[in-house]
Amino acid sequence: MTASFTQGPTDPTVQPVPASVVERVDAADTTLHNPQRAVISLGSNLGNRLETLQGAVDALEDTPGVRVKAVSPVYETEPWGVEPGSQPSYFNAVVLLKTTLPPSSLLERAHAVEEAFHRVREERWGARTLDVDIVAYADVVSDDPMLTLPHPRAHERTFVLAPWHDVEPGAQLPGRGPVADLLGTVTRDGVAPRADLELRLPE
């Protein structure tokens, strides 16, 4: 069964964009210089989790210099690092992008999308309305403390690897190897596909 959505308010971080900019962004795949591939992980365990993930996908698509190319199936995941039953479960998904933004600007946008959905950073492993993480950007490997690439824990997170593998079976995690091989090294306990739920690819 495919989930239906009620149209919600527009993402408050998305401001009107001049028509001339929109025209250039719409042609990003062919006319903007050197678009890069990026992999984004989404997670939510507070509020309307599915609607929040869809809102994040739509907000990313609304970003000048970003095009959403694919959206994974939804997974339900037990929270990490907390007592069992102390938090609601997460809905997780992975989004594949083409972008002309540099990693630092893409990170700023990710944080802005989180803030639009009232993400609060009060404690590690705390419940949150929305998590937007850059998993990988092109083939970049960097230990910059502001943005480590690829994500330093992506290789051990089933809730990242499983949906990524679903949407891109031949994917490679830079510096770590094939996602399919990495997925074979992690447990799937507490991470379950939700075939009854679906995220829409922006039109």
Side-chain angles (χ1 to χ4, degrees):
M1 181 178 70
T2 300
S4 61
F5 296 91
T6 301
Q7 184 67 35
T10 302
D11 171 11
T13 68
V14 178
Q15 302 299 318
V17 178
S20 60
V21 175
V22 172
E23 290 173 5
R24 292 199 302 272
V25 171
D26 284 343
D29 286 347
T30 57
T31 65
L32 293 185
H33 295 296
N34 197 26
Q36 299 295 323
R37 179 178 164 281
V39 182
I40 304 291
S41 174
L42 304 177
S44 174
N45 77 331
L46 292 177
N48 188 326
R49 297 167 293 174
L50 190 64
E51 188 173 279
T52 295
L53 294 189
Q54 184 66 57
V57 172
D58 295 343
L60 289 168
E61 174 69 11
D62 285 343
T63 303
V66 170
R67 276 288 168 263
V68 174
K69 307 304 290 186
V71 181
S72 79
V74 177
Y75 278 71
E76 188 163 12
T77 306
E78 294 177 4
W80 271 40
V82 298
E83 288 294 322
S86 64
Q87 290 184 19
S89 61
Y90 278 85
F91 284 175
N92 293 101
V94 162
V95 180
L96 306 185
L97 307 177
K98 283 291 187 69
T99 182
T100 57
L101 298 179
S104 59
S105 296
L106 188 59
L107 179 63
E108 289 177 5
R109 180 55 176 161
H111 288 167
V113 173
E114 290 179 339
E115 290 168 8
F117 288 90
H118 311 294
R119 164 69 186 269
V120 176
R121 299 175 182 275
E122 292 183 345
E123 59 176 307
R124 193 179 190 192
W125 313 123
R128 68 280 313 264
T129 53
L130 180 63
D131 232 352
V132 182
D133 286 331
I134 301 175
V135 176
Y137 182 99
D139 294 323
V140 175
V141 176
S142 169
D143 59 1
D144 184 336
M146 295 300 295
L147 177 58
T148 302
L149 290 171
H151 191 288
R153 291 178 294 280
H155 66 285
E156 59 189 28
R157 289 181 166 178
T158 307
F159 62 83
V160 171
L161 298 173
W164 186 5
H165 181 262
D166 285 345
V167 76
E168 190 180 19
Q172 299 265 341
L173 183 64
R176 294 285 184 177
V179 169
D181 292 350
L182 296 170
L183 189 55
T185 68
V186 295
T187 178
R188 290 179 180 258
D189 291 347
V191 180
R194 289 292 304 266
D196 57 319
L197 304 178
E198 184 178 41
L199 295 171
R200 300 185 308 268
L201 189 66
E203 298 180 358

